[in-house]
Amino acid sequence: MNDLTLTPIAIIHTPYKEKFSVPRQPNLVQDGVGIVELLPPYNSPEAVRGLEQFSHLWLIFQFDQIQQGKWQPTVRPPRLGGNQRVGVFASRATHRPNPLGLSKVALRKVECIHGKVFLHLGAVDLVDGTPIFDIKPYVAYADSEPNAKSGFAQEKPPTKLKVEFTSKAESAVKKLEEKRPHLARFIRDVIEQDPRPAYQQGKFSDRIYGISLYDFNVKWRIKAGTVDVVEVLNIEKNKAG
């Protein structure tokens, strides 16, 4: 068989500036929406003609922030607490023989403006700037399987953490929400999923974590005396933002 060389047809713009903050599936954080921007020569209105008739899309993308060549035949899925191994092909692990991902997303609007084509999406699970290799419409009668069996991920994962804002963080987020509506809800939804590695979850640590969302740096830590309550300490504009 011949090797296949892929060329990105688009990139996606999202609020997630690093893989640490990205939810593990698209629909876990309602405010984490994205915009796909088609690249030349694929940014023609003709290329998306009729796409607005579909409510959802499949995105085929590259895990471009993952070191290539470092895959193993078994992985430890976060849904199993990072303690059990399954085959890499029985998981959605990012470290794969070929660094390709597949994501189903809601399509809210197709916009063709000033010679550019944008696809406005619902909640996504991709890092900002991720290369997109293909876009396919979701076809309900063929793609939907209401009685499908999903192994260890049959149901949506419960939230793992409770999130509280310090007075300093609450004051900061209220000011920022003038330009970023629902920012507090967005931050809360992201952290509730517990983005830490599975081996750190369920344990107390006084380590201060930082996540980059939009152009903000959000600092948080586990509240003293608990293992499941988070204090959001501060929200600052990134220097580059």
Side-chain angles (χ1 to χ4, degrees):
M1 293 185 292
N2 295 326
D3 291 340
L4 175 65
T5 300
L6 300 178
T7 300
I9 64 163
I11 60 170
I12 190 168
H13 304 287
T14 81
Y16 307 113
K17 304 303 180 182
E18 57 189 354
K19 57 188 176 67
F20 177 57
S21 59
V22 177
R24 294 187 172 96
Q25 298 298 333
N27 296 318
L28 298 178
V29 179
Q30 62 179 316
D31 299 304
V33 300
I35 301 175
V36 167
E37 178 182 358
L38 271 70
L39 301 173
Y42 315 106
N43 59 340
S44 164
E46 291 296 301
V48 294
R49 183 195 295 182
L51 192 62
E52 73 283 351
Q53 300 176 44
F54 294 87
S55 65
H56 292 76
L57 306 174
W58 292 108
L59 301 180
I60 299 174
F61 62 91
Q62 178 186 3
F63 291 113
D64 64 318
Q65 295 196 8
I66 302 298
Q67 185 177 353
Q68 296 189 31
K70 293 196 67 174
W71 75 278
Q72 294 182 344
T74 62
V75 296
R76 301 172 189 251
R79 286 295 294 272
L80 295 177
N83 299 317
Q84 300 181 46
R85 285 190 174 274
V86 302
V88 65
F89 300 127
S91 79
R92 297 195 179 191
T94 55
H95 290 87
R96 316 185 70 80
N98 293 305
L100 297 177
L102 177 69
S103 190
K104 177 175 68 69
V105 296
L107 175 63
R108 293 183 173 179
K109 183 175 70 171
V110 177
E111 182 182 39
C112 301
I113 184 171
H114 304 312
K116 296 185 177 183
V117 177
F118 300 96
L119 308 180
H120 295 259
L121 309 177
V124 299
D125 58 346
L126 283 78
V127 179
D128 185 53
T130 293
I132 308 296
F133 290 126
D134 204 1
I135 300 165
K136 300 178 185 294
Y138 175 91
V139 179
Y141 84 87
D143 295 344
S144 178
E145 296 290 347
N147 299 316
K149 182 180 178 181
S150 300
F152 55 82
Q154 186 70 26
E155 298 178 350
K156 179 180 178 179
T159 56
K160 298 180 179 179
L161 299 173
K162 301 173 185 176
V163 179
E164 300 175 354
F165 289 80
T166 64
S167 57
K168 182 178 182 180
E170 187 173 14
S171 176
V173 82
K174 284 183 178 179
K175 294 179 181 178
L176 295 170
E177 281 189 323
E178 295 177 3
K179 294 184 177 181
R180 291 287 185 189
H182 310 303
L183 180 60
R185 182 176 69 185
F186 177 47
I187 293 171
R188 181 178 292 108
D189 286 351
V190 170
I191 298 177
E192 279 181 346
Q193 304 299 322
D194 198 346
R196 297 176 300 166
Y199 69 88
Q200 294 182 8
Q201 297 176 4
K203 301 176 183 178
F204 172 73
S205 169
D206 59 1
R207 175 180 175 179
I208 295 178
Y209 294 89
I211 52 176
S212 294
L213 302 171
Y214 291 113
D215 51 349
F216 311 122
N217 184 38
V218 182
K219 293 184 178 180
W220 56 277
R221 69 181 173 195
I222 300 297
K223 190 173 182 178
T226 74
V227 296
D228 61 353
V229 179
V230 163
E231 286 182 307
V232 177
L233 303 174
N234 197 17
I235 302 157
E236 298 176 336
K237 291 271 288 184
N238 288 331
K239 293 181 179 180

